[in-house]
Amino acid sequence: AAFPAFRDSIPNGLRGVVNVAALGHVDPNGGGPLNPFGAAFKAAGYEWSTDLCRSDSDGDGESNGLELGDPCCVWTADGGAPPQRHWKLSHPGKAKDVTGLSVEDSDAECARLLTHPGSAELVTNATGTFWKFYYEAPAQGLNMEKVGVAADIALWWQGTKEAMARDGVFATLFKFMVSRDAFMRSTKNLFSVLAVGCLIMLVWLGAVTDIMWRESAKANAALLVGALLWTDVASGLLHIVLDNPVMNPWPIIGAEAEAFQGHHFDPNAVARGHILDFVREHHILVALTVALTALHPSSRRLKIFMLHFWWSSHIMMCAHRWSHTHPAHVPWLAARAQEWGFLMTAAHHSAHHVSYDNNFAIFGGWTNPILNIATKLHSWRSPLWFFALLAWVAMPVLLSFDAVSGPLIRRARARAASYVAVVGAVCCRLPSAAAALGAKSAPA
């Protein structure tokens, strides 16, 4: 079996290489004979030494350090120096798997790093290389944004009709019963129907036709802003959970996490394929979250809140896709929304793909400063973030009950009033204090 503890003994060992849990074994899942890198790692006493870093165990022309993101051999297991690169990694035990990065550029960067200790990551002087990786698509990949959103949807609808005619409606909806794909992906047809059903339920209950007009403009504005910010945080918490390789062995969610982490190795994949296929991958979460309205069906504000979450979650999925789409192919309106700060930009989201430990929110990114601090105080590697996500999902329903929200609101108002009183008192005393100080300093 693989030894998880060894993953912390090499740079980028936890995230490693796509679909490889044991870098040192011939079998990517661990157990059995060692590959050339595993043998070299064993010979080095299971430590990341300078010699091991500079060696080319698989003979592919790239050092072990270059392949694992430590080309200058400065990483230490005690956290003293982070890897210089977290992206574009390759397997140090397989000769056919290479980064394709320039060894000469890496050598020049290492020389600069030694001259200026503590300088930024390798990406600083390799911006072109990073952006090529960020936007790059495999030769067989088709960037659907090049054909335009309307043509993309038309192609998707044509393919969907052909699939239903060939396989039948039942087989199309219940594909997950025979598919080996991740559960969220294989059930998106079924849960798309359920998600649309939830929307119809909200409208039927009067969320649009009547209930909104019973609330004040101030309340409606607060619910809209609250839903947008809540969705941004929810996207960040979900991203933290699914980004964490520690979650991979967990039942049910582990397969989703492993599939999600493949995005790190092919960032542009979210910008390829039909947009309606991509934005529906979260429909299982939409359907289950909106269904929580049934726990408090009499709450007008909860229904309004969930309606805003329904549509904004789809914009969130599009925002993620457009942040990986080459600027030349981003729809005009989406590009303006990025410029005006309504949607996250490629520059903002790409920071996550440099180190994978920041900017987890993928809607507008407005709450990332808070999440970035939170993940520094409590590591993103902790499974506790899964329970934080569950609590965050339950929060709108809990707050819709007056017994829960009433005391919180009264306490917040009382505290705000006390702050205002203190500030007012200080402001009122400043002129008299200044006058008294002036009188004391005046000549006799």
Side-chain angles (χ1 to χ4, degrees), residues 130-316:
F130 173 76
W131 286 113
K132 181 181 178 182
F133 162 74
Y134 189 75
Y135 289 126
E136 187 178 47
Q140 70 274 20
L142 174 62
N143 190 328
M144 297 303 296
E145 295 293 351
K146 294 180 180 179
V147 302
V149 175
D152 180 7
I153 294 175
L155 289 170
W156 171 85
W157 177 238
Q158 181 63 31
T160 301
K161 289 193 298 182
E162 292 175 357
M164 287 192 293
R166 181 184 66 251
D167 304 327
V169 176
F170 182 85
T172 302
L173 290 179
F174 294 90
K175 178 182 177 182
F176 66 94
M177 298 180 69
V178 295
S179 175
R180 295 184 178 181
D181 203 351
F183 186 74
M184 285 177 63
R185 293 179 180 175
S186 61
T187 58
K188 63 183 175 184
N189 289 331
L190 174 61
F191 279 99
S192 288
V193 174
L194 296 178
V196 172
C198 288
L199 175 64
I200 294 173
M201 176 194 72
L202 289 173
V203 174
W204 180 260
L205 291 175
V208 172
T209 57
D210 181 34
I211 291 180
M212 271 187 169
W213 314 128
R214 295 187 188 181
E215 296 290 344
S216 66
K218 182 179 179 180
N220 272 309
L223 288 168
L224 172 60
V225 173
L228 295 178
L229 293 175
W230 183 87
T231 302
D232 197 49
V233 173
S235 73
L237 292 175
L238 181 64
H239 196 171
I240 293 172
V241 171
L242 296 182
D243 244 12
N244 188 359
V246 173
M247 304 298 298
N248 293 2
W250 283 37
I252 302 177
I253 194 172
E256 310 303 328
E258 194 168 354
F260 188 88
Q261 290 155 30
H263 172 54
H264 293 162
F265 306 99
D266 184 9
N268 186 252
V270 300
R272 301 194 303 273
H274 299 293
I275 190 170
L276 287 186
D277 272 336
F278 177 71
V279 300
R280 294 186 303 119
E281 288 190 359
H282 76 313
H283 273 177
I284 180 174
L285 304 176
V286 172
L288 294 177
T289 302
V290 175
L292 294 177
T293 308
L295 297 176
H296 195 185
S298 61
S299 173
R300 293 196 306 266
R301 294 185 175 182
L302 180 60
K303 288 192 277 282
I304 296 172
F305 183 94
M306 288 299 182
L307 181 67
H308 288 314
F309 161 69
W310 195 97
W311 66 260
S312 64
S313 70
H314 290 78
I315 303 299
M316 176 267 292

Side-chain angles (χ1 to χ4, degrees), residues 43-69:
Y46 302 108
E47 292 183 357
W48 184 251
S49 64
T50 301
D51 288 341
L52 178 62
C53 175
R54 292 175 177 172
S55 298
D56 179 12
S57 297
D58 54 9
D60 59 7
E62 295 187 351
S63 70
N64 297 329
L66 178 61
E67 296 201 72
L68 290 177

Side-chain angles (χ1 to χ4, degrees), residues 343-365:
L343 299 178
M344 68 174 179
T345 63
H348 179 86
H349 184 59
S350 65
H352 174 76
H353 285 265
V354 170
S355 59
Y356 305 122
D357 63 355
N358 65 88
N359 288 9
F360 288 97
I362 56 174
F363 184 9

